[in-house]
Amino acid sequence: MKYLVSNKFKKPGWALLTIGIILGVIHSLNEYESNFLTTNVISLFHFDTFLSTENGILKIIENSIVDELITICIIVGGLLVCFSKEKIEDEFISKVRLDALAWAILVNYAILLFANVFIYDIRYFHVLVYNMFTPLIIFILRFNYLVYKKTGHEK
């Protein structure tokens, strides 16, 4: 398991993931609007309006970076939780890790197919945004559930 990091990264991962999810929920309840942390950022393929002189491949624009920071917290935290070794990393944990990963991918795409058929317009876009995080979240939930269940509830 060359791609796993030390177990000491699990706690910071949980902290980042938890903070990211809480802030993400708050941000979505505020309808993704924020003027907090507005700064100049580099925008690739910036498209303001059709035939606008502001359009371009590389532009400096003013933007609130709150949603980007929340996304970074969730992704980095989730990856640290997912790819941190367990205290005892054995064949059982490797099998559970692989099973949880396969299960997370299957469930993730089942959700996406369901949403593709039954959800439309801007709500479908919201599903796609949340879909960035669902494989990590499903993996974490499934992996911890299987380890908890198999080890006799003494993780």
Side-chain angles (χ1 to χ4, degrees):
M1 296 289 183
K2 296 177 185 175
Y3 53 84
L4 297 178
V5 297
S6 171
N7 181 265
K8 68 181 179 184
F9 290 102
K10 191 169 279 224
K11 285 182 182 175
W14 277 112
L16 281 173
L17 181 62
T18 303
I19 290 167
I21 289 173
I22 291 168
L23 292 176
V25 168
I26 292 168
H27 193 58
S28 68
L29 292 175
N30 289 329
E31 298 181 15
Y32 307 101
E33 294 297 322
S34 175
N35 291 326
F36 185 64
L37 291 176
T38 298
T39 186
N40 288 336
V41 295
I42 298 171
S43 175
L44 296 177
F45 308 109
H46 183 72
F47 185 79
D48 194 26
T49 58
F50 188 67
L51 297 177
S52 171
T53 58
E54 297 299 316
N55 295 344
I57 292 177
L58 186 64
K59 291 285 185 178
I60 304 291
I61 64 168
E62 192 172 272
N63 184 54
S64 171
I65 59 170
V66 170
D67 48 349
E68 287 82 4
L69 292 174
I70 291 169
T71 300
I72 290 168
C73 283
I74 294 172
I75 292 173
V76 171
L79 287 172
L80 287 174
V81 171
C82 289
F83 290 98
S84 290
K85 291 180 182 177
E86 293 297 305
K87 288 181 183 173
I88 300 173
E89 190 72 32
D90 56 11
E91 294 84 19
F92 165 71
I93 295 296
S94 294
K95 182 181 179 335
V96 170
R97 195 179 296 282
L98 182 61
D99 290 346
L101 178 62
W103 200 83
I105 296 301
L106 290 171
V107 170
N108 180 65
Y109 279 102
I111 292 168
L112 191 56
L113 283 171
F114 177 84
N116 191 55
V117 173
F118 294 109
I119 300 175
Y120 301 97
D121 302 321
I122 194 67
R123 295 291 171 213
Y124 183 69
F125 177 74
H126 291 157
V127 169
L128 293 179
V129 169
Y130 296 134
N131 198 253
M132 287 190 296
F133 312 117
T134 52
L136 290 171
I137 303 299
I138 294 169
F139 172 83
I140 290 167
L141 293 173
R142 180 71 176 170
F143 176 76
N144 286 298
Y145 169 75
L146 290 174
V147 170
Y148 177 78
K149 181 178 152 192
K150 200 68 167 175
T151 57
H153 315 295
E154 38 179 83
K155 185 171 181 230

